[in-house]
Each structure stands twice: as C-alpha cells, then as structure tokens.
Amino acid sequence: MDKTKSETEKLNPDQVSSAPNVSPEYGAIYSGSTPAPPPYGPNLAGYATPVGTHLYPPTSPYHQGYSPLPNEGNVWVNRQTTVLIAPVQQPDYMGFSIFTMLCCCLPLGIAALIYSIMTQESNQRGDAFAASKNSRMAKILNYLALGLGIFSLVISIIVVVVVLLNNSSGPH
C-alpha cells in the first residue's frame, strides 16, 4: 500500500457501503454537499409516510440539532439535550422546631422536630408530596408551640405583676 495516499483515496466504493440497495455515495467521505436520501420503501407498519420530509441526512450542517464532530468529516451526531427536573425542596423548619422545643412548649416542639426530620428525609428521597405534607405539619406545630409559649409568658407576667401589686398594697 502506498502510505502517501489519504484515507479517502484508499476507499473502494464497493467497500464503503455494506447496506443492500444503498449507493456507495452514502458511505463516502463527506464532500461538502449532501446527496439526496434514498426513497422510502413500502410502509409495512400501516402508518402514513411523511410526505416531503427526510430526517437523514440533514440538509445543512446544523439542521435539526445535527452537527459535525471536529476532525471527522463524515460523522454526524444528533446532540442530545437532557433536562433534569430537580424536585423543589420543602423547608424543614428544623431551627424553628429546636427553638420552640427548648423555649416555648416542649411537647409541641418535640412533635414539630419529628415532622422536621421527616421532611428532611422526604426531601432526600425526592418525595415532594410527603415532604410538603410533613413541612406543613411542622410549621403548624411550630406556630402552635410559639403561640402557646407567648401566651404562657404573657400570663406568667400578668400573674407576677398582680401578685406583686397585691403584696405591696396589702395590710402592714
């Protein structure tokens, strides 16, 4: 073999295309113009064949997402677009739960903390429905505990003030 010949010159047209009933020009090196595609065969599946549309080969280098690979003259690749839909993370109210557990109302704070942990686990699993439900319940329990804690604080202040006023104004 002559080593000075390029790969294009070494190709035999009979060896380029191994598919039956396909002219050798479809397997040849891309030369700048795209040959016409072979006609569609009989439709065996019973579906209508699209009229006037051919998906391969493309009519231009960037037609329908096809683009040539660098340094490969005859290879066409359909670049795939992948869309990842990340689940929306529901808030877990973990800090709020710890605060209400320690400072406001211990029983409701513990329940809110459990629902916060369940929300985190649901978010990690990607279960948006369970995460939403647990997040809503943790928020409700946190607000109840906060309300109960504020109510208890206000009542305690009122009781202390009333007791101090009664002791100071009582008989001496």
Side-chain angles (χ1 to χ4, degrees), residues 4-13 16 27-31 73-74:
T4 60
K5 286 186 176 182
S6 68
E7 291 297 319
T8 308
E9 295 172 358
K10 292 180 190 177
L11 293 175
N12 181 356
V16 171
I29 301 299
Y30 178 69
S31 64
N74 68 335

Side-chain angles (χ1 to χ4, degrees), residues 97-112 141-142 144-150 152:
S97 298
I98 293 172
F99 171 75
T100 57
M101 180 181 68
L102 296 176
C103 299
C104 296
C105 180
L106 183 66
L108 288 176
I110 289 173
L141 289 173
N142 279 321
L144 283 174
L146 183 65
L148 192 59
I150 291 173
S152 299

Side-chain angles (χ1 to χ4, degrees), residues 10-164:
K10 292 180 190 177
L11 293 175
N12 181 356
D14 295 331
Q15 296 174 344
V16 171
S17 177
S18 61
N21 300 328
V22 176
S23 63
E25 62 196 32
Y26 287 105
I29 301 299
Y30 178 69
S31 64
S33 65
T34 306
Y40 285 112
N43 192 352
L44 300 176
Y47 297 106
T49 304
V51 178
T53 59
H54 299 287
L55 297 177
Y56 185 82
T59 57
S60 71
Y62 301 104
H63 179 69
Q64 296 180 356
Y66 289 94
S67 62
L69 290 175
N71 302 324
E72 300 280 339
N74 68 335
V75 177
W76 292 87
V77 175
N78 185 4
R79 303 226 172 157
Q80 178 180 357
T81 302
T82 304
V83 178
L84 297 176
I85 300 174
V88 177
Q89 296 286 320
Q90 297 293 326
D92 57 10
Y93 301 105
M94 182 65 72
F96 195 14
S97 298
I98 293 172
F99 171 75
T100 57
M101 180 181 68
L102 296 176
C103 299
C104 296
C105 180
L106 183 66
L108 288 176
I110 289 173
L113 183 66
I114 291 170
Y115 277 103
S116 295
I117 293 169
M118 289 169 44
T119 302
Q120 281 184 343
E121 292 171 354
S122 297
N123 279 334
Q124 289 173 355
R125 275 195 323 266
D127 187 0
F129 179 74
S132 174
K133 184 179 77 167
N134 292 332
S135 176
R136 186 171 27 109
M137 184 57 83
K139 182 170 77 170
I140 290 170
L141 289 173
N142 279 321
Y143 281 124
L144 283 174
L146 183 65
L148 192 59
I150 291 173
F151 179 75
S152 299
L153 181 65
V154 169
I155 294 297
S156 298
I157 290 173
I158 291 173
V159 167
V160 167
V161 168
V162 167
V163 167
L164 286 176

